[in-house]
Amino acid sequence: MPSTADDAAQPNEHSPLLSSEADSLNHIPSTSEQNVPTVNIRGIFHACGILLAAFTISFDVSYCIANYSRRIASDLSELSNAPWIPLAGTLSDAVSQPLYGYFAQSLGRERPVIFASSTLTLAFLTCFISVWLWQLVVGRIIFGIGSSGISLLAIVMLTDVIPLASVPLWRSVLVIGQNLGLMSGGPLGSYIAATTNWHVPFLIESVLATCATTILLLAFKRVVKETTSSLARPLTGLNRLDKLGLTILPLLILAPVAAITLGENVLAWDHPLVIALLAMFIPLLVVFVYVEGKVAVNPLLPPRIFKSWQTIGVLICTALSVWARNQLDIHISFYAEVRNDSQSKFADWVLACQFF
């Protein structure tokens, strides 16, 4: 019987074990053959805004650590209260970070980031016009509110707007930008303060923060047009916010941190205010756990995450490492001032060496 086209298509003992179709299925395309997405204009705008904001925050932190006692507090005749300048921002940063995470999950990430960047501008302007120490402390509190949002959401935002293949590169750029700010804030900020006055670096930082906010706002307009859900979600979910949790959590964090800060730097440990703040912690914790576990529809901090010993271990290790790092960052500059001549520039450069 003569063979037909259909018979020829059927496999037989003369057919190859791997056909051309199978070869095509097993073929792994090279990088040049893959349609790797490129970074679009929106992604570039987001990345530039985030990088500029992160650099400005790092520059400010390094500048303040290097100058908060010998130049700023001394000029304000408040040397005994100098520790409040770096501590105020640390307190508000600790309170604000969980709130940013919650709002980013509920409302999208773009609005919290723009709010954080705008808050930085307000913080730097408040520091710039400060003529009393406690006015400057208010500015540092506002700074902590803004910086916590950028620090928390920077990498998450880059992951949202940058193609997956480019994320490691842009994360590295972000880290480099932050470290450049940390390395230059001490010597460069101190030089500007020495040649003008300590207010001027804050003015420069406010300009940089305003530029970052403007860039992020331009990117946000494109996000709204493209309706990217993870970045700009509708505001209809506001009624599901955990309002009780949002009220209790800042108090829960602030009470013990403020007590420890006051007890170490300002008041005696047996002072009534310190004792009252420490005593507030347990009742607030009990109420917060009850609200999050039993009352909240969309809990701010679901209790189930603490059922894992691995999670608890990571949190403890993180707390200890951050505590140790803060001790070094805050005290090494002061130590360098004490050990060197008042005219020496070593204290300006010691932080740059550390961050390098």
Side-chain angles (χ1 to χ4, degrees):
M1 179 182 295
S3 62
T4 63
D6 292 337
D7 294 332
Q10 296 297 323
N12 53 51
E13 65 272 16
H14 300 291
S15 302
L17 293 176
L18 290 177
S19 64
S20 58
E21 289 82 359
D23 290 337
S24 64
L25 290 174
N26 287 278
H27 172 66
I28 300 176
S30 64
T31 304
S32 60
E33 293 174 285
Q34 297 175 10
N35 185 21
V36 178
T38 56
V39 182
N40 56 23
I41 297 299
R42 175 173 57 82
I44 292 175
F45 266 66
H46 275 103
C48 291
I50 292 169
L51 289 171
L52 182 56
F55 169 84
T56 307
I57 290 170
S58 300
F59 184 94
D60 176 82
V61 168
S62 184
Y63 166 67
C64 280
I65 291 175
N67 293 275
Y68 77 92
S69 59
R70 58 175 176 149
R71 185 167 278 126
I72 299 176
S74 178
D75 181 66
L76 296 173
S77 301
E78 290 277 5
L79 197 57
S80 60
N81 291 316
W84 278 106
I85 297 175
L87 290 174
T90 303
L91 287 172
S92 57
D93 184 287
V95 172
S96 303
Q97 283 216 14
L99 306 184
Y100 274 108
Y102 183 72
F103 282 116
Q105 183 181 16
S106 303
L107 305 177
R109 300 180 182 105
E110 188 71 34
R111 293 182 181 92
V113 167
I114 290 177
F115 172 80
S117 184
S118 304
T119 304
L120 287 176
T121 301
L122 176 62
F124 294 139
L125 288 175
T126 304
C127 294
F128 170 67
I129 64 174
S130 296
V131 292
W132 302 291
L133 176 77
W134 300 111
Q135 186 181 5
L136 179 63
V137 167
V138 171
R140 301 314 297 171
I141 291 173
I142 300 173
F143 168 78
I145 295 172
S147 64
S148 62
I150 299 296
S151 302
L152 181 69
L153 298 176
I155 292 181
V156 180
M157 285 280 293
L158 286 178
T159 305
D160 284 337
V161 300
I162 299 297
L164 187 60
S166 303
V167 167
L169 171 63
W170 282 91
R171 284 189 177 182
S172 301
V173 172
L174 175 64
V175 172
I176 291 171
Q178 289 173 323
N179 282 322
L180 285 176
L182 291 170
M183 291 170 60
S184 60
L188 181 57
S190 298
Y191 174 78
I192 296 172
T195 53
T196 55
N197 60 65
W198 61 264
H199 297 83
V200 174
F202 290 121
L203 178 62
I204 296 172
E205 291 166 359
S206 69
V207 173
L208 295 176
T210 302
C211 293
T213 304
T214 303
I215 295 170
L216 289 170
L217 281 170
L218 292 174
F220 180 62
K221 290 182 179 180
R222 298 181 66 89
V223 170
V224 172
K225 290 179 181 179
E226 298 171 18
T227 63
T228 305
S229 59
S230 64
L231 293 175
R233 291 173 181 163
L235 297 176
T236 54
L238 285 174
N239 58 344
R240 298 182 67 250
L241 291 179
D242 180 13
K243 299 179 180 63
L244 268 177
L246 288 170
T247 304
I248 298 171
L249 183 61
L251 297 175
L252 177 64
I253 298 173
L254 185 61
V257 174
I260 294 171
T261 303
L262 290 171
E264 285 188 347
N265 299 280
V266 181
L267 304 174
W269 283 104
D270 58 353
H271 192 278
L273 178 58
V274 176
I275 296 173
L277 289 170
L278 289 173
M280 289 171 58
F281 177 72
I282 297 299
L284 286 171
L285 178 62
V286 172
V287 174
F288 181 74
V289 171
Y290 175 77
V291 168
E292 297 303 288
K294 304 293 185 182
V295 178
V297 178
N298 185 22
L300 175 63
L301 195 63
R304 65 177 180 274
I305 69 173
F306 296 104
K307 294 181 179 179
S308 168
W309 285 108
Q310 288 88 346
T311 301
I312 296 174
V314 167
L315 292 175
I316 292 174
C317 291
T318 302
L320 291 173
S321 62
V322 171
W323 178 83
R325 177 62 183 268
N326 284 344
Q327 293 295 315
L328 181 63
D329 289 351
I330 292 175
H331 294 297
I332 192 172
S333 179
F334 183 73
Y335 175 79
E337 294 170 22
V338 173
R339 300 290 295 180
N340 284 272
D341 183 82
S342 59
Q343 302 300 320
S344 173
K345 300 297 182 183
F346 176 71
D348 297 338
W349 285 93
V350 66
L351 284 174
C353 297
Q354 175 186 330
F355 293 125
F356 175 77

